[in-house]
Amino acid sequence: MNSTAAYRLEATGIYKSYGAVSALIDVHIALKPGEVMALLGENGAGKSTIVKIISGLVSHDDGTIQIDGQDVQLNSVNASQAAGIAVVQQEFSTVGTLSVAENLVLGQRGAAWWWGPRKLNRSAKAILARVGLEDLDPNTLIEKLSVAEMQLVEIARVLAKDAKIVIFDEPTAALSDAEIERVLKVVRRLAAEGRSIIYVTHRLGEVFEVADQVVIFRNGRSQPSQDVADLNVDKVVTMMIGRELGDLYPQRAEALGEIVLETRGLKVAGMRGEVNLQLRRGEILGLTGQLGSGTTEIMKAIAGTEDVLAGTVELDGAPLDLQGRRRGILSGVAYCSPDRKRDGIFRGATIRQNLSSPWLRRVSRLGVVNRKHENNEAVRTASHFAIDQTRMNALVGNLSGGNQQKVAVGKWLGIRPRVLLVEEPTRGVDVGARAEIYAQLRRLCDSGVGVIVSSSDTNEVLGLSDTIATYYRGTQTAHKPASEWTEPELVREVMHREEVTK
Amino acid sequence: MKSVAAWFARYALQLGVLVIVVASMYALYPSFRVEASIERLIPLGVIAAGLAVTMIAGEFDLSIASMAALAGALTVVLSGLGLVVAVLIAIAVCTLLGMLQGWAIAKLGINSLVFTVGTLVLIRGLTWLVCGGLAISIDDIAASDIFYGKLLFLSPLSATGMVILIGLGVFLSRTRWGRELYALGSSRPEAIAAGVRYSRGMVIAFGISAGCGAVGGALTSALSGSAAPNALESMLVAGIAAALVGGISIAGGRGTMVNVFLGFAIISVLSAGLAGMGAKAFVSQLFIGIFLLLIVLAEYFIQRVTEQNSRKRRRRLVQTAAVG
Amino acid sequence: MTTVQGSAIGFQERAGMRRTLNAVRNYSLPILIAMVFIVASILVPQFLTFETIRAILLATSVTGIIAAGMTAITLSGNLFSLGVTASVVLSGVIYIWVGSATGNIFIGAIAAILAALVVGFAQGFIVGLGLNPVVVTLAAGAIIYGATAILTGGEVVAAQSRELGRFATFAIVGIPLPVFVLVAFTAVAWFLTERTTIGRNVHLLGSNKYTARNSGISFMGTTIWAFLIFSVGLGVAAVLQVSQTLQVQADNFAELTMNVVAAVLVGGTAVTGGDGSPIKSVIGALFIATITQIMVLVGVPQGTRYFVLGVVVVVLVVTLHLLRKAGSR
């Protein structure tokens, strides 16, 4: 005789691997009605994977999921929605050319076939008021909204769905304090209505304000859930840190050279203040902060792919041309994007072709590629990164994440860069490849190159960098040598810097 | 009042061009009559409308002109059943073919541009087979008479064309399936993640496209009493030009039937006026090409200017914030 | 307790399956042509004759040269040029005019190629700005057609002397010159796209234009080069075509654009860019020409030929698409 399940949602023994990388190992989550559960953990620890599994975007390799005591197969987004699950995603999922009102009803099962503007607007206004957007004209096209308004509309969309289980994935990245308060109020109200909430965030302040339970993810495993009442910031930080610094990271630099890159009064969209950074030869400067902190905007500004609103960047004392990547590469600034699948690698081209893509002209004469020189240089890069040299003709799209990332970073060696900018150098990469990438970055520095690494993985930033600059919600909060940081301090700095928001 | 002004602003470019074109025609060719241009709603207007629907959904239906020819051939071949019945059957058959096409494109996950390159030849071949390789005619010439005559200043054909355009306009702006086509066209992954059914959207879009083509071809044949295997070939380029000149975005997700009508009007007035002045057909082709190029270049530059302005605005805000 | 199955096939097995599927995709067309040849030789009496083979090769040469050139545009991710017909007419007219005026067919040919290069550069530039290639080439085609028709008054432009036909009548061991030009041009196009930095950039741009931008590859420059390669092919093909007919009129070659696009697609070059080769497109043109010739020999009427061709294109395009999808899993 089965007892009636006390849990609204129970996921047990969940495993998920992407090739050689284990994303989730024996994860267990149990959620009661009316409960708010916060998921915490570093990037890559497994939070977004379990969220994707519950939303039906990704299938798990092993384990069961039960809703109200019944086994469910969440094979698709439709199946997940049918089971009463709604998700506010990290990436925006609204349609830009439709109005706010239309987006609120888009794709809903059982929606009316007639979308008269008056009817849509009336129901839209009611929902928008709940997220503080009562003054927004529901006829406005989504693409005309500010990022903050878009994020609030995302949340409003979920309210329209009347779901039993609501998942919020980083819902406040782009919001001001007042707007965050609104969101938290919405979350509390939903819980009061008896719904179950999963709240994924990097901001510890919000966790303590709104969550009942906390599940901490570490290296793909979930820790048993704890009552928020029993926790404080320090305890949480300690539980999140798992890895020993150990042998993964090479030795820090002993002496640094003269300044190779400097930003003066740099103002970038999305940052609150000026950015003043200095990078020396042989130095690995780590920028760290979570989603919405501004690190990615800074990197892209120096790389020349995002607008600089004010200020300058100097390379070896001379102003750096920030008009796009071509000029940057010619000046000797290399840039690795955080999303290799989108714009870091050529999946349909061979390893050799990928490795040679930024410096092809150097091994060509009169426009004809000297294949022997190209191969020699490519093989040399491959050997540095421990890429199998017999596979130079393999398509990069078929490689593991680690090998792809090695190609994405390695190809820049050939332009003899003065500065290398790398965002998220080991996202989705297995441990073995990570060590090789770190070793090569350090070797590059030893030869006189300056490297800026931007990463949301605090362990990685601490282990790899010589100097660390931290960012929180668009402002630089600290800039110290790495030796002066401990990991708990660093984690706390990027997740709970309340003074900044005043 | 604000919405009227907004409406005008939205179609300002096309309205301006239309006014200039009409005025030029009247200036150059005194006996020019605008109303005559409306007649070309069948087939040009409805074909442009069909093309617009697939473009809005983010796809391309190159087979629409071939569908039109097929419908015309079917109409003539079946005319023994009564012309109106023949027209309706032809439209129904082609619409079903179009829906099948849309379903195949969705299920295969294939690029519609690539797929319809093949089907445009295939359906043209079908038309050849139906025609028996020759131009064919209806035996009873008098049967076409009901398609002549006028209601107000519209003939039954152009009235049908207007009804179709207005109907599609309402469909695209006020119904759930219509709005879903916009979603699929502009932000397909987001739309599908939200729960919009991609295959249903494709079936609807390509069904409408084929149906519009069929209306154009069937009625043209009913009016003229004949059909030919290579009929309406030039309608593909003319229809694409009309849709794009009118302001339908080839990238998908944008554009209305008002755009289609304005584009059709510009192209139609241009062609009719030039023909009336005694210019040969290729002169209007030249102008159509020039207009098409100018309009897409104009939209490109307008977009770049607005982007640069918003960048300048952000810079100024930053500087005033620094000072203040 | 139910479990959800992950991918049942291991990493290694999937790599092997991928290789097989991709090999099938790359070699299916040559094998198919060989099979068709064998079957046709057995079933159709006049097939395996010199005249038939020569007719097939001649029919392939014009379409094949343009298709080889257009492959550069497709590889770069810029889809197709839909203005082939108009440019070929223009170059043909220029060839006859300049060739007659100077009395030198080579100067006429160069003028024809230059004309194609000029209009091709303009189109490449506008597409390089970021405008949609389908729209730009369609518009350019209409403009060029209209302008050419106005210049010629819509009349036939005929060559006064048979000299202008020398490019078509000249033959080596009975094989007409256009066939050699086809082979030579395909070799050059292959070299350009496989062995030069421009060609590599074309491939990479088509593979991922965002990564290309981050790697310093110029979208505008690479696109223009692709259009220039294509334009040379257009000019050469126009000269060869007009040499055969010794006249040209604005309305000619109406089906040429679609034939060339079909050849590229059937040949197996991916429409998304980054995967394909000029040689494949020529093989596609050869396949279409072979099927057409067989049907003519057998006495199939034009309409049915059209229909069969449509079926062949659809079936091949869909099969290639499915093979590509399965081979990239």
Side-chain angles (χ1 to χ4, degrees):
Chain A
M1 179 69 102
N2 295 332
S3 59
T4 36
Y7 292 115
R8 167 69 53 71
L9 169 75
E10 187 164 12
T12 324
I14 306 285
Y15 285 80
K16 175 70 185 175
S17 299
Y18 291 101
V21 183
S22 296
L24 294 178
I25 304 170
D26 197 18
V27 163
H28 179 85
I29 291 187
L31 199 57
K32 295 202 184 97
E35 193 172 57
V36 178
M37 169 178 289
L39 300 187
L40 284 176
E42 301 191 303
N43 271 9
K47 309 187 303 291
S48 11
T49 313
I50 190 68
V51 164
K52 285 197 184 125
I53 288 173
I54 298 177
S55 1
L57 284 167
V58 154
S59 60
H60 48 287
D61 298 333
D62 206 354
T64 60
I65 302 181
Q66 295 193 328
I67 295 188
D68 289 329
Q70 305 283 357
D71 277 348
V72 288
Q73 301 293 343
L74 301 175
N75 299 330
S76 66
V77 173
N78 276 332
S80 166
Q81 287 183 355
I85 299 171
V87 184
V88 181
Q89 317 241 13
Q90 234 182 70
E91 295 93 23
F92 294 152
S93 63
T94 45
V95 173
T97 54
L98 294 187
S99 72
V100 171
E102 287 169 332
N103 268 278
L104 291 181
V105 290
L106 190 66
Q108 276 201 35
R109 292 147 47 242
W113 68 272
W114 178 259
W115 279 13
R118 252 187 316 216
K119 194 174 76 166
L120 285 185
N121 288 351
R122 237 180 305 135
S123 31
K125 275 225 170 266
I127 300 174
L128 289 173
R130 290 171 64 182
V131 292
L133 289 176
E134 53 273 323
D135 293 328
L136 182 63
D137 178 8
N139 270 330
T140 326
L141 297 187
I142 292 280
E143 61 191 4
K144 301 250 193 292
L145 298 181
S146 69
V147 176
E149 286 169 329
M150 274 195 224
Q151 191 145 52
L152 290 172
V153 170
E154 285 283 336
I155 296 170
R157 242 159 61 88
V158 151
L159 296 180
K161 288 197 183 138
D162 197 33
K164 285 194 291 193
I165 300 166
V166 185
I167 307 178
F168 291 88
D169 194 352
E170 303 278 4
T172 58
L175 302 184
S176 69
D177 289 339
E179 288 157 348
I180 293 177
E181 259 317 301
R182 266 282 170 178
V183 172
L184 297 179
K185 232 194 277 186
V186 165
V187 173
R188 283 190 212 104
R189 164 103 160 267
L190 286 174
E193 289 169 1
R195 306 173 203 274
S196 305
I197 315 283
I198 297 179
Y199 195 86
V200 179
T201 184
H202 283 107
R203 307 213 179 133
L204 295 182
E206 293 168 21
V207 171
F208 285 104
E209 274 201 63
V210 83
D212 304 309
Q213 295 278 318
V214 176
V215 169
I216 297 182
F217 278 75
R218 220 166 72 181
N219 298 332
R221 291 177 193 276
S222 61
Q223 310 214 346
S225 81
Q226 319 218 9
D227 282 342
V228 161
D230 297 337
L231 296 173
N232 59 36
V233 174
D234 287 323
K235 279 194 196 157
V236 168
V237 167
T238 315
M239 284 192 283
M240 279 178 59
I241 301 168
R243 279 191 303 268
E244 292 289 318
L245 283 185
D247 310 313
L248 197 57
Y249 304 104
Q251 286 269 9
R252 295 206 183 107
E254 285 167 356
L256 302 176
E258 66 284 3
I259 296 177
V260 63
L261 184 91
E262 187 161 10
T263 71
R264 294 180 199 276
L266 190 68
K267 272 205 163 78
V268 187
M271 296 290 298
R272 279 175 207 239
E274 293 181 352
V275 176
N276 294 309
L277 290 173
Q278 286 180 342
L279 177 69
R280 295 174 177 275
R281 291 195 187 283
E283 177 180 23
I284 297 185
L285 168 65
L287 307 184
T288 183
Q290 300 300 341
L291 185 68
S293 60
T295 51
T296 194
E297 283 83 353
I298 298 172
M299 294 291 272
K300 289 197 161 69
I302 302 176
T305 61
E306 188 135 312
D307 271 345
V308 165
L309 301 177
T312 59
V313 179
E314 282 182 9
L315 185 67
D316 280 329
L320 177 63
D321 192 335
L322 296 174
Q323 298 275 38
R325 281 272 67 223
R326 279 195 85 202
R327 309 270 180 95
I329 292 173
L330 287 172
S331 314
V333 174
Y335 169 69
C336 289
S337 82
D339 189 346
R340 59 178 173 268
K341 282 209 179 77
R342 196 191 98 94
D343 56 3
I345 52 173
F346 298 104
R347 305 182 73 201
T350 66
I351 294 182
R352 184 188 301 113
Q353 289 168 342
N354 268 268
L355 288 177
S356 66
S357 49
W359 41 264
L360 198 59
R361 211 166 295 169
R362 237 178 4 94
V363 293
S364 312
R365 216 153 53 115
L366 296 175
V368 178
V369 176
N370 186 323
R371 309 209 327 148
K372 211 168 78 158
H373 288 173
E374 179 195 14
N375 197 46
N376 289 345
E377 184 80 32
V379 163
R380 223 188 14 226
T381 305
S383 68
H384 282 316
F385 276 83
I387 299 172
D388 188 353
Q389 286 156 47
T390 61
R391 296 183 69 196
M392 297 299 277
N393 280 327
L395 294 184
V396 169
N398 295 336
L399 299 180
S400 68
N403 280 326
Q404 284 181 346
Q405 189 65 8
K406 288 193 225 173
V407 170
V409 176
K411 65 184 179 185
W412 294 109
L413 258 54
I415 71 163
R416 317 272 190 260
R418 292 193 262 175
V419 170
L420 172 65
L421 310 167
V422 191
E423 285 198 66
E424 305 291 347
T426 58
R427 174 184 280 173
V429 171
D430 58 283
V431 170
R434 293 179 70 172
E436 282 149 8
I437 293 176
Y438 296 146
Q440 194 51 36
L441 287 176
R442 180 51 70 188
R443 216 175 293 149
L444 202 57
C445 280
D446 292 341
S447 71
V449 178
V451 173
I452 305 183
V453 169
S454 138
S455 171
S456 50
D457 182 341
T458 43
N459 187 285
E460 169 175 82
V461 169
L462 191 57
L464 186 62
S465 318
D466 301 306
T467 316
I468 300 178
T470 56
Y471 295 84
Y472 185 76
R473 293 185 67 194
T475 313
Q476 186 171 310
T477 59
H479 184 138
K480 298 192 291 197
S483 50
E484 295 179 25
W485 287 98
T486 66
E487 193 169 356
E489 279 172 6
L490 197 56
V491 172
R492 211 201 155 104
E493 187 75 24
V494 299
M495 291 183 67
H496 192 65
R497 253 315 215 114
E498 288 319 304
E499 297 85 77
V500 168
T501 68
K502 298 297 178 275
Chain B
M1 272 302 106
K2 193 179 109 174
S3 50
V4 174
W7 190 93
F8 266 102
R10 214 166 141 191
Y11 302 110
L13 182 59
Q14 280 75 24
L15 282 169
V17 171
L18 181 60
V19 164
I20 293 175
V21 169
V22 172
S24 318
M25 287 299 131
Y26 270 113
L28 294 168
Y29 178 48
S31 45
F32 177 66
R33 286 275 155 271
V34 173
E35 305 87 77
S37 314
I38 301 279
E39 285 313 305
R40 304 168 101 237
L41 261 179
I42 306 282
L44 180 58
V46 286
I47 288 183
L51 281 161
V53 169
T54 45
M55 277 193 221
I56 286 172
E59 305 285 338
F60 231 114
D61 185 4
L62 292 175
S63 67
I64 191 173
S66 307
M67 280 289 186
L70 179 64
L74 284 173
T75 303
V76 170
V77 161
L78 296 170
S79 55
L81 302 171
L83 206 48
V84 175
V85 173
V87 163
L88 290 172
I89 294 179
I91 294 175
V93 167
C94 288
T95 307
L96 279 167
L97 272 177
M99 289 166 71
L100 185 64
Q101 217 182 183
W103 180 85
I105 289 175
K107 277 291 170 262
L108 292 169
I110 197 172
N111 182 313
S112 61
L113 183 65
V114 169
F115 191 76
T116 53
V117 163
T119 53
L120 107 83
V121 177
L122 203 160
I123 296 174
R124 181 66 63 174
L126 261 178
T127 312
W128 273 86
L129 291 177
V130 170
C131 281
L134 312 157
I136 49 179
S137 321
I138 302 176
D139 298 319
D140 180 11
I141 302 183
S144 309
D145 286 350
I146 54 167
F147 293 104
Y148 290 92
K150 289 211 180 285
L151 292 83
L152 295 175
F153 59 92
L154 292 172
S155 72
L157 249 59
S158 38
T160 313
M162 284 304 290
V163 166
I164 290 179
L165 250 62
I166 294 174
L168 279 178
V170 170
F171 171 76
L172 287 175
S173 61
R174 292 280 187 269
T175 67
R176 178 175 153 207
W177 286 355
R179 299 308 287 166
E180 283 183 355
L181 290 182
Y182 283 92
L184 287 173
S186 72
S187 321
R188 186 165 294 175
E190 288 85 349
I192 295 177
V196 174
R197 297 248 292 279
Y198 172 60
S199 32
R200 182 175 64 202
M202 291 297 109
V203 167
I204 293 173
F206 282 86
I208 292 178
S209 174
C212 285
V215 167
L219 288 178
T220 306
S221 285
L223 188 68
S224 65
S226 68
N230 56 352
L232 302 172
E233 264 173 354
S234 60
M235 277 294 121
L236 179 62
V237 177
I240 294 176
L244 292 174
V245 165
I248 303 285
S249 164
I250 203 167
R254 262 178 242 277
T256 66
M257 281 296 132
V258 177
N259 288 112
V260 171
F261 183 78
L262 288 174
F264 153 77
I266 292 173
I267 301 283
S268 188
V269 166
L270 200 55
S271 311
L274 287 170
M277 283 191 269
K280 300 230 186 101
F282 42 75
V283 177
S284 54
Q285 277 281 55
L286 175 66
F287 276 96
I288 290 175
I290 293 178
F291 265 89
L292 187 51
L293 200 57
L294 286 179
I295 290 230
V296 290
L297 280 172
E299 286 177 351
Y300 168 79
F301 282 114
I302 291 175
Q303 194 196 22
R304 270 193 65 171
V305 168
T306 39
E307 257 175 52
Q308 274 179 356
N309 280 345
S310 69
R311 253 188 244 141
K312 285 202 199 115
R313 218 182 332 124
R314 271 194 295 168
R315 281 215 187 89
R316 244 180 289 128
L317 281 175
V318 167
Q319 273 149 12
T320 51
V323 170
Chain C
M1 206 174 284
T2 51
T3 53
V4 175
Q5 282 287 52
S7 80
I9 310 169
F11 212 52
Q12 282 295 68
E13 284 117 14
R14 234 180 313 139
M17 219 164 58
R18 249 202 312 256
R19 266 194 296 269
T20 327
L21 284 170
N22 283 328
V24 169
R25 183 165 56 86
N26 285 326
Y27 294 109
S28 54
L29 202 59
I31 296 175
L32 206 57
I33 292 183
M35 285 187 347
V36 165
F37 254 79
I38 295 172
V39 169
S41 325
I42 303 173
L43 295 178
V44 179
Q46 315 101 300
F47 182 72
L48 211 56
T49 61
F50 194 68
E51 285 79 42
T52 312
I53 306 286
R54 194 179 64 178
I56 291 177
L57 288 176
L58 206 55
T60 309
S61 53
V62 168
T63 317
I65 291 175
I66 304 178
M70 186 170 329
T71 315
I73 295 181
T74 313
L75 281 174
S76 70
N78 282 311
L79 297 173
F80 312 110
S81 162
L82 293 182
V84 169
T85 304
S87 295
V88 167
V89 168
L90 174 68
S91 290
V93 167
I94 301 277
Y95 171 65
I96 292 184
W97 278 353
V98 174
S100 306
T102 61
N104 185 324
I105 55 173
F106 288 98
I107 297 183
I110 290 175
I113 296 174
L114 277 176
L117 281 172
V118 166
V119 294
F121 179 86
Q123 291 173 65
F125 178 77
I126 299 179
V127 173
L129 286 175
L131 272 66
N132 185 293
V134 168
V135 177
V136 172
T137 54
L138 217 51
I143 294 174
I144 296 171
Y145 164 75
T148 314
I150 291 177
L151 279 174
T152 61
E155 304 294 326
V156 173
V157 174
Q160 302 303 346
S161 102
R162 299 213 68 95
E163 261 298 300
L164 288 167
R166 285 277 278 161
F167 283 127
T169 55
F170 187 75
I172 308 174
V173 294
I175 300 174
L177 186 62
V179 178
F180 290 101
V181 175
L182 168 70
V183 171
F185 183 78
T186 308
V188 169
W190 175 86
F191 183 79
L192 284 174
T193 55
E194 293 298 315
R195 291 274 190 270
T196 62
T197 51
I198 291 156
R200 181 70 61 80
N201 287 347
V202 164
H203 273 279
L204 294 179
L205 184 66
S207 173
N208 186 325
K209 70 176 181 205
Y210 303 110
T211 310
R213 182 174 26 107
N214 279 341
S215 307
I217 295 173
S218 159
F219 184 76
M220 167 72 83
T222 311
T223 300
I224 289 181
W225 274 113
F227 269 85
L228 289 179
I229 295 174
F230 164 69
S231 302
V232 172
L234 271 182
V236 170
V239 168
L240 293 177
Q241 175 67 40
V242 169
S243 300
Q244 293 176 42
T245 56
L246 286 174
Q247 68 179 41
V248 68
Q249 190 188 19
D251 286 331
N252 286 156
F253 316 133
E255 292 157 17
L256 189 56
T257 308
M258 279 310 153
N259 282 349
V260 170
V261 170
V264 173
L265 289 176
V266 161
T269 298
V271 82
T272 42
D275 178 18
S277 148
I279 298 179
K280 284 188 177 175
S281 303
V282 171
I283 295 180
L286 180 65
F287 183 70
I288 293 178
T290 309
I291 302 265
T292 310
Q293 193 63 27
I294 293 175
M295 288 196 282
V296 166
L297 279 178
V298 170
V300 174
Q302 182 179 6
T304 321
R305 285 210 304 269
Y306 230 72
F307 180 70
V308 169
L309 219 52
V311 171
V312 163
V313 170
V314 172
V315 165
L316 277 173
V317 161
V318 168
T319 311
L320 286 168
H321 167 82
L322 291 174
L323 281 173
R324 181 172 290 118
K325 245 175 55 165
S328 68
R329 204 60 60 82

